[in-house]
Amino acid sequence: MTIAEEIDRVDKLSRSMIAAYVAWGPKRKWGKNYFTVFGDVTDFVNFRMETAESCLELLEKGRVADALGLCRSLLENLLLLKLLCRGNKYFQLQNVQSKTPTQVREFLAEQQKDLEEKHARGESLSCLYVAEYPRESKILMYVFEGLLDSVEPSFRIPMHFFQFQEFRPSTMRLKDEDYFDYYEPPKSVKDAQKKFQKEAKFSYRHYLSYDALLQCLQVNDLLDAAATSRVEAHYTFLGTFLHPTHDSARELHERSNVHSSQPTVGMNGTYSQAAALMAHCYVAYLLADTMNEIASFLERAPELYVAEAGTEEIRALTTTVPTSIPYFWFIDNEAPLYDRFNHAVNISTDEELEKYGGYEGLATSLLKFESSIYSHFKSGLDGWNNQRVGIYKPPLEH
């Protein structure tokens, strides 16, 4: 199979997923009580589908860098979606800046002991544990179970659902006094505006910023250290096509070192087929992960709210992404064979290779993610041979 043929296959898979998502509506059966949270999360995903479709349209026109920039948006929204659907733990912070480092440790130990004793007595507490807040010194983090639904006690509503719906960037960033208004607001209104701005800054800093999303995902056990490293690498790479970064788009082209010094739209020359395929892989994985999140959300819902999730067709397509595109290492899928081969050549001992039955058997948990995403992806499309490790065949020849 050629790269062009593979691009066409992955493109069709992505479009099939979008079509299956759109056709999903009539297959869902609501329960006796309609809960708006499911409609609101669906609305959130609807706009992600629009962005994914825009990526495919850009790729169809050969605009690879712009499509990758939009993929960064899809990735950040995916992180938030995970918390909207599964972020059942939240935290409150306590400022202990007035204490010395030693006093902070002592106070934390007291708080942990007190909570442990209450748990041992069987007291009904929603606070799970107390720890130092990883993102800021002299701040304690009290982690709680998510908010319980008043009608269906088994169902928890993630705090991020409310944080996201209530957050307004303009409230956080813009000072009302700097902009036009029809009349001078009274002091009480100004005081309220300052209060809202402070709350918005807190919400963004601790719940909705990129760093905060990672922290909240870790609190909810939705990202481990290795997966977090993969997210960081993908997020940083995709961000180079969204923010000013020297030569980021140029390096994806064939003959990228040619400078014509003439005004053009983009660059004289085409994006490499490897870059186009990589962008299609991003879209496919982001679509699959996004659709899996909302599918799982409805599948877990109490029957009172969702009588039938109707996710069979969606699942049939999304599950094919990691199996039919195994050469792209995203966040939660297994490491590709090339990464195992590369690890074996450079890291593995003969004893380790014998233990795992060759480089193909190396576990994903043993491998570190390669941060040079494009060059590494491109290398993985070629065949390689190592006298000690063996032969790595190009994935499109399998």
Side-chain angles (χ1 to χ4, degrees), residues 51-110:
T51 302
E53 193 171 71
S54 295
C55 289
L56 295 177
E57 290 174 358
L58 285 167
L59 289 171
E60 189 175 12
K61 295 179 179 179
R63 302 290 196 255
V64 175
D66 286 343
L68 289 171
L70 282 182
C71 284
R72 215 295 288 271
S73 172
L74 283 173
L75 174 56
E76 191 163 3
N77 277 280
L78 172 61
L79 300 179
L80 175 57
L81 180 63
K82 288 176 181 287
L83 290 164
L84 293 177
C85 295
R86 292 188 284 156
N88 290 329
K89 295 177 186 175
Y90 70 98
F91 56 82
Q92 294 179 350
L93 302 177
Q94 181 180 7
N95 190 319
V96 288
Q97 298 287 344
S98 62
K99 300 181 183 294
T100 66
T102 300
Q103 290 173 329
V104 170
R105 289 192 294 271
E106 291 174 349
F107 182 69
L108 173 60
E110 292 172 4

Side-chain angles (χ1 to χ4, degrees), residues 6-7 9-18 49 52-53 55-56 59 71 74 78 276-292 317-322 324-325 327-328 330:
E6 178 69 354
I7 288 173
R9 185 189 70 82
V10 177
D11 175 76
K12 287 177 179 175
L13 175 57
S14 294
R15 293 181 188 277
S16 295
M17 285 191 283
I18 294 175
M49 294 296 115
E53 193 171 71
C55 289
L56 295 177
L59 289 171
C71 284
L74 283 173
L78 172 61
L277 176 57
M278 178 187 64
H280 274 286
C281 291
Y282 267 116
V283 176
Y285 269 90
L286 285 162
L287 270 171
D289 284 1
T290 298
M291 290 167 62
N292 282 333
L317 284 168
T318 59
T319 53
T320 66
V321 171
S324 69
I325 315 175
Y327 52 85
F328 183 73
F330 193 45

